[in-house]
Amino acid sequence: MSEELVKYVHRLCPCDPTNVEGIQSWLEDMAAKGLFLAEDGVFCGVFFFERRLPRKVMYRLDVAQKRKPRFLDSGDELTDEELELYRAMGWEYLLRYGDFRVYRSMERDAPELNTESETHAITIGLLKKKHRDSFVYAVLMTLFWVFFAQSALRYGFRIAVSIGVVFILCVHGAILDAWLTNLLRLIRFRRYERRLLNGDSLNHRVEWKKKAPFNYFVRALPFLLSFGVVFGVMSGLVKSGNEIPHGEYPGEPPFATVADVFPGGTITADNVWLDYGTFKTGETAISRNVEWKESCDVTTADGENYFCILRLTYHETVSEWIARGLERDYYVYNKSRGQGKWFEDMTAPELGVDSVRVYYNGYGVLYVLMREGNRVVHAAVTMDNQTNANQWHLWAEAMAEMLR
Amino acid sequence: MPRKAMDGLTESMFYVLMAFSNGPMCGIDIAEAIERCTKGRLRIGPATLYTILGKFEKEKYIEEIAVEGRKRTYRITSKGRAAYDEELTRLRLCIEDAHRAKGGCL
């Protein structure tokens, strides 16, 4: 019965692209089932096969060496002479796959492509060097990232809330993936090179099925991480656009606003030139967040007039541990400013909350940081200098009452 | 302890340099010359052959003298000839030592 082409079948390679032994074994097992790799039949790690009668064939992956380019010859492709020699020895060139060229022989007694292990070690050594350089580059990029992302690492919880946990996890996952991938490939090529220099050849039959599920996951990981990064960025953009006027806030805010600090007073809200008077909400994996912005003229019940700007952030986290982390980040950030005065006359037990810190920066801004259970409030109040310094306890008491 | 690559000539490398004794050659001619010279004992694989040619070109043991279409022709350089002669001398000495050993010198 003659072999006839019936249809193409595509399969995702179950091995790492540098696993020479595994890929060879997999292709040979596919041929034993009647699936033969098509010429130029690879795209993004997916291999295309032709259906034929099952038979025993040999597949070999050989390092694609680059020669000096010449006119009409990029140095990257096999020359006609090379193709002729391979054919004369019973080998058919199929395709280029990453750093390798894939060959097939239908002849049982065809000589091996590499007949001398020491010479084979030369080309494997080149790949080992390439992956060693890639690993070093990944390490340097990580150090670069750590150096420039110091504030992100220092205020991890705040950054996770504002940028998004998914985005941060996926970025760090991508960095770790780059490390591990290059390190594992470097180790593989070192092992290959040692074996060859000891006079042994590579194994042409290895067990590839056991690790196939794990390899599929590892191959999919960069795509998942990239999707996670894009998703994180897009959800951040959506979050930042979710801004509505105070009047449309559903129900009572779970935190103190200017009206709560000055009960019985008259509040003329929303100075147009400051364009405040809005809030926006957002959720991340670790907290529900509300940002409240309010600017207004206040006439208290006692007839005093103030101009007031309140910028408040409220977090309701999934655990108290995360709330403590957020509180710590805000505290460290405020403390890093150096100047100013911390008010410590009122304690958390007195206010009935788990923790309270009040700080005045000396330039007209009062900061109130408070936590009760898994809820954290951070408020920045701008009034005239003296008023802020004298009325900090009003803000602290009002915030605590709403949190309790 | 594994030897380092290019730490002396391997058998295949030696025969590739030997093939250039006939003058400039291209890859396919070298493979045929080696098989003929060794009476089929050494059949150099195509990947091994082109790895050696690439390495020799980089080490300046051979140089490219002509490119006809996508067929490259090489010739041996004086450095390559010196490396070949050195290896040949070493092998001759090995054989002489082996003969003396057979005669009971060890």
Side-chain angles (χ1 to χ4, degrees):
Chain A
M1 186 184 300
S2 62
E3 294 178 334
E4 291 180 352
L5 172 65
V6 176
K7 66 174 183 179
Y8 282 97
V9 174
H10 57 271
R11 292 283 186 274
L12 185 63
C13 181
C15 305
D16 183 84
T18 61
N19 186 353
V20 172
E21 297 170 327
I23 294 174
Q24 286 174 175
S25 301
W26 172 63
L27 290 173
E28 288 174 5
D29 286 348
M30 296 296 275
K33 290 194 274 189
L35 295 175
F36 290 74
L37 185 60
E39 196 174 328
D40 291 326
V42 68
F43 181 72
C44 293
V46 177
F47 284 70
F48 295 87
F49 296 87
E50 301 167 340
R51 283 197 185 278
R52 299 183 195 172
L53 286 176
R55 62 179 291 182
K56 195 170 163 56
V57 299
M58 288 195 291
Y59 281 94
R60 294 291 180 263
L61 271 65
D62 190 45
V63 177
Q65 299 177 68
K66 192 170 169 62
R67 291 178 304 274
K68 262 189 275 187
R70 291 278 184 267
F71 182 65
L72 295 181
D73 181 1
S74 65
D76 223 11
E77 295 177 12
L78 289 176
T79 63
D80 293 336
E81 178 211 347
E82 284 172 309
L83 288 170
E84 187 187 336
L85 181 58
Y86 280 96
R87 267 196 299 272
M89 295 203 175
W91 289 94
E92 175 192 1
Y93 169 63
L94 294 173
L95 52 88
R96 174 77 182 259
Y97 181 51
D99 291 318
F100 299 94
R101 293 196 179 98
V102 183
Y103 303 86
R104 176 173 62 214
S105 177
M106 305 288 201
E107 299 172 20
R108 288 171 189 260
D109 57 355
E112 284 291 337
L113 294 184
N114 285 285
T115 48
E116 194 169 69
S117 58
E118 288 181 58
T119 308
H120 195 182
I122 294 174
T123 53
I124 294 294
L126 292 174
L127 286 186
K128 182 196 79 172
K129 184 175 178 302
K130 176 185 167 183
H131 286 285
R132 183 194 64 202
D133 293 346
S134 297
F135 176 69
V136 169
Y137 178 74
V139 170
L140 289 175
M141 289 306 293
T142 304
L143 293 174
F144 178 83
W145 160 254
V146 168
F147 178 76
F148 279 98
Q150 280 183 27
S151 61
L153 296 173
R154 203 175 172 194
Y155 310 118
F157 287 98
R158 276 190 69 196
I159 297 295
V161 163
S162 57
I163 295 179
V165 173
V166 170
F167 176 80
I168 288 185
L169 286 178
C170 287
V171 167
H172 286 92
I175 293 172
L176 193 62
D177 181 61
W179 271 63
L180 288 176
T181 298
N182 283 297
L183 181 61
L184 290 173
R185 288 175 179 177
L186 173 62
I187 291 172
R188 175 176 290 124
F189 285 120
R190 266 182 64 108
R191 210 174 64 234
Y192 285 167
E193 190 188 36
R194 278 185 167 272
R195 206 188 304 163
L196 290 168
L197 289 175
N198 277 332
D200 299 321
S201 61
L202 299 185
N203 288 331
H204 297 308
R205 292 296 307 164
V206 297
E207 170 57 51
W208 57 267
K209 286 181 187 165
K210 274 186 193 168
K211 289 187 181 174
F214 173 75
N215 285 326
Y216 284 133
F217 169 72
V218 169
R219 300 287 300 283
L221 195 57
F223 296 101
L224 294 173
L225 292 172
S226 302
F227 176 74
V229 168
V230 171
F231 174 78
V233 170
M234 295 303 293
S235 64
L237 290 174
V238 169
K239 189 158 63 76
S240 67
N242 185 20
E243 196 170 275
I244 61 175
H246 285 166
E248 295 180 24
Y249 187 85
E252 280 290 316
F255 43 80
T257 63
V258 175
D260 297 309
V261 177
F262 301 104
T266 306
I267 296 175
T268 310
D270 302 334
N271 276 354
V272 173
W273 66 276
L274 280 174
D275 197 29
Y276 274 0
T278 59
F279 83 96
K280 60 183 179 183
T281 63
E283 301 210 12
T284 70
I286 64 174
S287 79
R288 179 171 80 96
N289 314 301
V290 181
E291 288 181 28
W292 181 276
K293 296 177 189 173
E294 186 176 5
S295 70
C296 51
D297 292 308
V298 179
T299 304
T300 69
D302 299 331
E304 294 187 37
N305 294 311
Y306 305 112
F307 171 67
C308 177
I309 301 174
L310 170 65
R311 287 165 298 176
L312 181 148
T313 310
Y314 170 82
H315 305 286
E316 203 169 300
T317 64
V318 296
S319 81
E320 195 170 320
W321 174 75
I322 294 172
R324 286 177 194 268
L326 270 172
E327 181 198 0
R328 181 198 60 85
D329 285 356
Y330 278 118
Y331 173 62
V332 169
Y333 176 72
N334 289 336
K335 205 165 171 64
S336 69
R337 295 173 171 220
Q339 301 170 347
K341 176 183 169 57
W342 288 86
F343 296 104
E344 294 174 0
D345 297 350
M346 297 184 82
T347 62
E350 286 174 340
L351 290 169
V353 294
D354 287 337
S355 70
V356 59
R357 300 178 205 272
V358 185
Y359 164 79
Y360 175 65
N361 73 351
Y363 299 106
V365 184
L366 179 75
Y367 294 92
V368 179
L369 173 62
M370 199 170 284
R371 182 180 66 80
E372 169 62 14
N374 65 333
R375 292 172 297 151
V376 177
V377 170
H378 181 258
V381 182
T382 305
M383 298 173 72
D384 61 83
N385 289 354
Q386 199 56 39
T387 307
N388 265 349
N390 292 339
Q391 295 191 344
W392 67 269
H393 61 282
L394 290 180
W395 288 94
E397 285 168 354
M399 296 281 176
E401 187 170 338
M402 292 302 288
L403 276 186
R404 282 197 294 267
Chain B
M1 179 167 177
R3 51 178 285 164
K4 295 179 189 173
M6 283 305 281
D7 186 17
L9 296 178
T10 65
E11 183 184 25
S12 298
M13 291 177 187
F14 178 73
Y15 276 100
V16 167
L17 287 178
M18 185 194 293
F20 284 103
S21 306
N22 297 332
M25 301 193 106
C26 62
I28 199 167
D29 295 336
I30 295 171
E32 287 171 358
I34 291 173
E35 192 173 351
R36 216 170 30 244
C37 176
T38 60
K39 296 184 173 59
R41 178 183 66 82
L42 181 60
R43 208 175 166 199
I44 191 169
T48 297
L49 172 62
Y50 288 109
T51 299
I52 291 173
L53 289 176
K55 191 68 183 174
F56 279 176
E57 196 177 9
K58 193 176 166 190
E59 298 289 331
K60 300 202 185 331
Y61 283 8
I62 61 175
E63 59 186 1
E64 191 181 282
I65 57 167
V67 179
E68 297 166 16
R70 284 161 67 191
K71 186 175 176 178
R72 299 180 179 218
T73 303
Y74 303 91
R75 73 174 169 208
I76 193 167
T77 63
S78 54
K79 188 178 177 187
R81 199 164 289 112
Y84 174 73
D85 290 340
E86 186 183 337
E87 181 68 11
L88 187 59
T89 303
R90 188 184 72 80
L91 290 170
R92 278 198 186 118
L93 289 172
C94 287
I95 292 170
E96 286 171 12
D97 292 338
H99 282 312
R100 275 203 302 278
K102 202 173 172 185
C105 73
L106 288 175

